[in-house]
Amino acid sequence: MDYLYALQSLREAGPDFINYFFLFISEVIVKSGVLLVAIIFWSCNKQQGIIIGMSYVSAFSINQTVKNIACIPRPWLLDSRLHVDPLAEKGATGFSFPSGHTVTAASVFGQLSVWKRKNKGLFITSILIIILTAFSRNWLGCHTLKDVVFAVIVAGISLCLINFLVFLFSKHQDKDWLFCLTGCLLSIIILLIMQFKPYQQENVYPLITDCYTSCGMTCGMLVGWLLERRFVNFSIEVPVSTKVWRSLIGSLLILLLYISGGKLFAFMGDHMAHLAKYFLIFLVIIYIYPLIFNMIERRQK
């Protein structure tokens, strides 16, 4: 905690633009990771888009499961000397250990760095984003050093797991339905365990919302992957202008779903609304949007 207290002293004494910089790193760049996955999938490399996306949802799921097993409160709840940055507090949901923002950055940009390891510029940039994201969560007072270090470990485990499953799947590609079904069932079982396990904290309702988010993301990703493989199978071998339009229109669509998705499913309650929203977002990214642009592009030929 002394480490966080020292950073807090620097944060409070320093100019505001430093806080805004780390807030930008922490919130904007990390949350754009999903868009990055989508653009890679639609326009750059389908297989790598899926691998990075799977790495992200699996790391997020593992991380969220650990959060709700460990049940460690946020730093400012453990030590009255500490104060979270007001602008960062809204995004600091659920329990503290491990860091969700850090695991997102480490899984997305970690897998990107593995894919583009021969591109020194992109490799270094990806690693730098991971380091800056982890440090930003400490600087803003949202997480302890232990939270961010363990989040990077979780992301590393996820990368190894997904790459092993990719290798396994290459030997049994006709079993795509089994991979999908197993992943969805596992995610739902974990959600039910996290929902009904006993918690010592009072008012745990908002502390398990992200478990529903995790389940929605995982199931949306897996179902979308299976449906795209079976019924769409779009091609990356298209003109650059087509790739640009795919990315621009698709990005706007995903941003719209992020903004309006919560309101669209508000009648379902916070938990199920989060599950439905993120299921839809990933289903749109992997299956529905490719289905639409694939049909349009075929008619134009």
Side-chain angles (χ1 to χ4, degrees):
M1 292 299 183
D2 289 338
Y3 164 68
L4 291 187
Y5 188 66
L7 289 182
Q8 178 175 282
S9 299
L10 292 173
R11 184 178 80 231
E12 293 175 346
D16 289 340
F17 78 84
I18 297 179
N19 291 351
Y20 293 141
F21 170 75
F22 282 120
L23 193 68
F24 176 80
I25 292 292
S26 178
E27 299 293 338
V28 178
I29 290 185
V30 169
K31 290 183 177 179
S32 67
V34 174
L35 277 181
L36 178 61
V37 170
I39 291 170
I40 291 172
F41 177 66
W42 298 328
S43 305
C44 301
N45 188 306
K46 281 182 67 176
Q47 182 180 13
Q48 288 300 324
I50 289 294
I51 292 173
I52 296 172
M54 292 289 189
S55 296
Y56 168 51
V57 298
S58 66
F60 190 92
S61 297
I62 295 170
N63 197 74
Q64 194 58 45
T65 302
V66 174
K67 271 181 181 279
N68 282 66
I69 291 175
C71 297
I72 297 177
R74 294 283 173 170
W76 65 90
L77 298 176
L78 294 174
D79 191 330
S80 60
R81 298 179 305 168
L82 300 174
H83 307 284
V84 62
D85 183 274
L87 294 175
E89 186 174 6
K90 186 178 179 180
T93 57
F95 293 105
S96 185
F97 173 84
S99 165
H101 286 71
T102 304
V103 85
T104 298
S107 58
V108 172
F109 291 97
Q111 188 66 64
L112 181 63
S113 69
V114 171
W115 174 34
K116 292 294 186 180
R117 56 189 176 276
K118 294 183 179 180
N119 185 326
K120 291 184 179 180
L122 191 54
F123 177 84
I124 293 172
T125 300
S126 297
I127 299 302
L128 187 60
I129 288 175
I130 296 171
I131 294 171
L132 286 174
T133 301
F135 181 73
S136 74
R137 301 311 286 169
N138 295 154
W139 177 272
L140 296 169
C142 297
H143 287 283
T144 65
L145 182 61
K146 177 177 65 176
D147 294 345
V148 300
V149 169
F150 196 81
V152 173
I153 294 173
V154 168
I157 292 171
S158 174
L159 298 190
C160 293
L161 173 64
I162 293 302
N163 282 287
F164 170 73
L165 290 176
V166 168
F167 170 76
L168 189 63
F169 179 70
S170 67
K171 308 291 184 181
H172 306 279
Q173 295 196 30
D174 59 324
K175 297 294 191 297
D176 51 1
W177 63 273
L178 183 59
F179 279 82
C180 176
L181 180 62
T182 302
C184 288
L185 286 177
L186 183 60
S187 181
I188 293 169
I189 290 169
I190 291 172
L191 172 61
L192 293 174
I193 292 172
M194 295 301 104
Q195 170 68 59
F196 294 109
K197 71 179 284 288
Y199 291 89
Q200 294 182 350
Q201 291 80 0
E202 296 180 359
N203 188 26
V204 298
Y205 186 87
L207 299 175
I208 59 177
T209 302
D210 285 343
C211 296
Y212 284 80
T213 298
S214 171
C215 184
M217 288 166 48
T218 302
C219 293
M221 182 83 194
L222 288 169
V223 171
W225 167 72
L226 179 63
L227 292 175
E228 196 284 325
R229 274 180 56 83
R230 292 295 183 93
F231 304 111
V232 181
N233 195 27
F234 72 91
S235 175
I236 291 292
E237 302 302 321
V238 294
V240 173
S241 59
T242 300
K243 295 181 179 182
V244 171
W245 280 114
R246 280 182 185 180
S247 299
L248 288 176
I249 296 173
S251 296
L252 290 174
L253 176 60
I254 300 308
L255 287 173
L256 179 63
L257 288 175
Y258 262 110
I259 295 169
S260 62
K263 296 178 181 178
L264 182 65
F265 299 108
F267 69 95
M268 302 173 71
D270 287 344
H271 286 167
M272 291 306 298
H274 271 73
L275 190 152
K277 172 184 174 179
Y278 285 93
F279 177 86
L280 178 61
I281 286 173
F282 277 82
L283 187 68
V284 167
I285 290 173
I286 306 300
Y287 170 63
I288 296 178
Y289 181 57
L291 174 64
I292 294 170
F293 71 61
N294 199 45
M295 292 172 59
I296 294 172
E297 290 168 9
R298 283 181 176 178
R299 289 180 180 177
Q300 291 175 343
K301 289 183 179 179

